[in-house]
Amino acid sequence: MALDTTTDRPGAIEAAGVEYLPERARDSSPGNLCAVFLGANLTWTNVVFGAFAILFGLSFWQTLTSMAVGTAIGTLAVLPTAVIGPRTGTNMTVSSGAFFGIRGRFIGSFLALAIALGFAAVTVWTSGDALVAAAHRIFALPETNVVRGIGYAIVAALMVTVALYGHATIVAMQKIVVPVVGALMVAGVFAFAAGFSPGASSGEYALGSFWPTWTLCAVLFAAAPVSYGPTIGDYTRRISPIRFSDKQISLALGAGMFVGVLLPSMFGAYTALSFTNPTDSYLDDLVTAAPAWYVLPIVVISVLGGLSQGVLCIYASGLDLEGLAPQLKRTQTTIITAAVAIALLYVGVFVFDAVGSVTAMTVVLNAVITPWVAVLAVGALRSRTVGYDPVDLQAFAHGRRGGRYWFTRGWNIPAVAAWAAGSLFGVLAVNTTLYVGPLADIAAGVDLSTVGSAVLAVVVYLVVGAALGHRGEQSAMGQPLVEIA
């Protein structure tokens, strides 16, 4: 049954899941898309990544070049996928079946779940820690594990509540987050100006020398746009490809991603260099060094910034799990994935070293999601003039085999082989302070896990496709290949 647009309005629980959305339900716009990804990035997660670069030994200007290059690479990697959702009318992981196959799309679903759950945990950790540090300064509350646990629970509860309401409520929230948090971060520049020292650094590079450390930081900055790759379709699926052009949609996504990551990352690096006696906890140092008038803005950024990114992660994870378990409703899968994310958070913070865990998790996840995004980007570019079959894309939910995207028993071999090869290389080439892959030294310690995994995936995708006579590509481009097995 066709969905009515009234099911998607702020304050009402969204009725739609990952099923096909008809044209009359496409009530969003490129402006909404830009606001969503701009707001989602104005959070402590990206601020902390900027501070990490300083902690790892880079100066402010070195950090600035690293974040500009990394963010640009990550944004360009996902840009071609902006037009997939408007054409398929569903989220990105279900849409990936057009390139990976009806069963092959499970790769994207599992990757998207891992990314969403991991970053949801990181978001709650950073926002919760900032809240606790602010409460300690304002109310003299002790910074114990119990208090931290309560702070995490508050942020998580707010995050899950908004995610349950769904798309329209998330968009409305982001339109509040962008001006408020953006203005407060600009105010922070003045708050910490007195102690800012652009030429300073820790004097010791985390990976022993400049280029490996600079590249590690660039990979961290690239991870933010790339990590959103599986969630882009959650918002573009509600944009009409009839009323808006591919260029409008792509530019809106690119602006939201690039500016959204760059601004908070710069804020993190800027403030990290203003601390007189820095410790291992950036957020504690931020609250301690802040003038009294800026402590309350830190609380506001913690709540709104945490919501803005965490909500996207939890909402996406609910849709992805629904794609794997279509018998469940989106609200049910959202609650399940939220519980898992919160459990991961408590284990990561209270059992393992948070900074090392976050860095390693981010880089490793980036190494396996990048080749998947690369395959989608190539597929989208090659399918620009060809429509998608929304009925066949929903074959798994309907319990059907065969159809346009069935390929070889549900798997498109060139795409799956490309992702596997790229991911294997990426994981083996990772170079972090916690985990060093066996191929980490192939470029004198420079981390090639992200760029290398993407390039290898594209090459394998094209070569294997050519070797198989473009069998899979022809099926995806409108020549039905039905194989019942």
Side-chain angles (χ1 to χ4, degrees):
M1 180 180 294
L3 294 172
D4 190 274
T5 56
T6 59
T7 60
D8 183 47
R9 64 181 187 275
I13 295 179
E14 182 185 11
V18 295
E19 65 269 28
Y20 172 73
L21 291 174
E23 173 63 25
R24 62 177 167 274
R26 312 291 184 84
D27 48 7
S28 191
S29 67
N32 286 344
L33 179 67
C34 183
V36 164
F37 286 101
L38 180 56
N41 282 300
L42 296 178
T43 181
W44 290 128
T45 303
N46 287 322
V47 173
V48 168
F49 283 166
F52 277 179
I54 302 300
L55 180 65
F56 291 162
L58 298 185
S59 69
F60 180 77
W61 300 115
Q62 292 169 343
T63 297
L64 191 60
T65 60
S66 180
M67 70 174 63
V69 171
T71 305
I73 290 174
T75 301
L76 290 173
V78 300
L79 216 52
T81 68
V83 301
I84 295 177
R87 297 180 182 180
T88 62
T90 186
N91 76 329
M92 197 66 81
T93 52
V94 174
S95 299
S96 72
F99 309 108
F100 284 87
I102 294 303
R103 289 174 173 167
R105 76 170 178 83
F106 297 158
I107 294 172
S109 293
F110 286 117
L111 289 175
L113 274 172
I115 288 280
L117 294 175
F119 276 88
V122 171
T123 301
V124 176
W125 162 56
T126 53
S127 296
D129 273 7
L131 275 179
V132 171
H136 173 71
R137 179 165 173 181
I138 297 173
F139 304 110
L141 288 178
E143 296 183 272
T144 64
N145 286 344
V146 172
V147 175
R148 290 184 187 280
I150 294 172
Y152 300 149
I154 292 172
V155 174
L158 292 171
M159 189 173 71
V160 175
T161 300
V162 177
L164 284 171
Y165 277 99
H167 175 270
T169 303
I170 294 172
V171 171
M173 181 198 69
Q174 299 292 19
K175 290 182 177 180
I176 297 172
V177 169
V178 170
V180 173
V181 175
L184 292 179
M185 285 189 176
V186 170
V189 173
F190 298 98
F192 293 92
F196 177 60
S197 178
S201 69
S202 66
E204 296 182 4
Y205 294 117
L207 297 182
S209 58
F210 171 72
W211 283 113
T213 304
W214 185 94
T215 309
L216 169 62
C217 295
V219 170
L220 285 174
F221 295 126
V226 172
S227 68
Y228 285 117
T231 70
I232 292 170
D234 298 353
Y235 303 93
T236 58
R237 68 192 173 118
R238 284 195 175 273
I239 300 177
S240 169
I242 297 174
R243 297 195 303 274
F244 301 103
S245 68
D246 290 352
K247 182 178 180 180
Q248 288 175 301
I249 298 170
S250 298
L251 287 176
L253 176 67
M257 288 284 194
F258 185 78
V259 176
V261 174
L262 200 64
L263 290 182
S265 298
M266 289 174 62
F267 178 82
Y270 177 88
T271 51
L273 285 169
S274 68
F275 303 153
T276 304
N277 297 304
T279 67
D280 290 334
S281 175
Y282 163 79
L283 292 168
D284 283 343
D285 292 339
L286 182 75
V287 174
T288 301
W293 65 267
Y294 197 71
V295 176
L296 183 58
I298 289 176
V299 173
V300 176
I301 294 172
S302 299
V303 175
L304 291 183
L307 280 175
S308 65
Q309 184 180 64
V311 163
L312 258 70
C313 295
I314 294 299
Y315 178 69
S317 66
L319 287 175
D320 291 324
L321 183 57
E322 186 200 0
L324 292 172
Q327 69 275 17
L328 298 177
K329 294 181 179 180
R330 181 191 65 83
T331 50
Q332 295 171 324
T333 55
T334 299
I335 292 172
I336 292 170
T337 54
V340 175
I342 294 168
L344 288 174
L345 159 73
Y346 283 99
V347 171
V349 173
F350 296 128
V351 178
F352 299 104
D353 169 63
V355 174
S357 299
V358 168
T359 304
M361 178 205 74
T362 301
V363 176
V364 171
L365 284 178
N366 204 43
V368 296
I369 197 66
T370 299
W372 184 83
V373 171
V375 170
L376 258 65
V378 172
L381 291 171
R382 299 178 74 177
S383 305
R384 282 176 294 179
T385 60
V386 180
Y388 295 83
D389 189 324
V391 175
D392 280 353
L393 278 175
Q394 299 288 342
F396 175 75
H398 298 157
R400 291 190 294 106
R401 293 185 177 187
R404 182 171 169 182
Y405 307 115
W406 188 245
F407 300 108
T408 303
R409 293 179 171 80
W411 303 84
N412 186 15
I413 302 304
V416 174
W419 171 77
S423 297
L424 179 61
F425 173 83
V427 172
L428 294 178
V430 162
N431 187 8
T432 72
T433 56
L434 190 64
Y435 166 72
V436 178
L439 298 181
D441 289 329
I442 60 173
V446 173
D447 192 318
L448 296 180
S449 60
T450 298
V451 175
S453 66
V455 171
L456 183 59
V458 170
V459 171
V460 172
Y461 187 37
L462 298 177
V463 170
V464 174
L468 295 179
H470 298 283
R471 181 171 178 259
E473 295 302 325
Q474 290 170 0
S475 175
M477 306 270 290
Q479 299 181 20
L481 170 64
V482 179
E483 179 181 322
I484 305 299

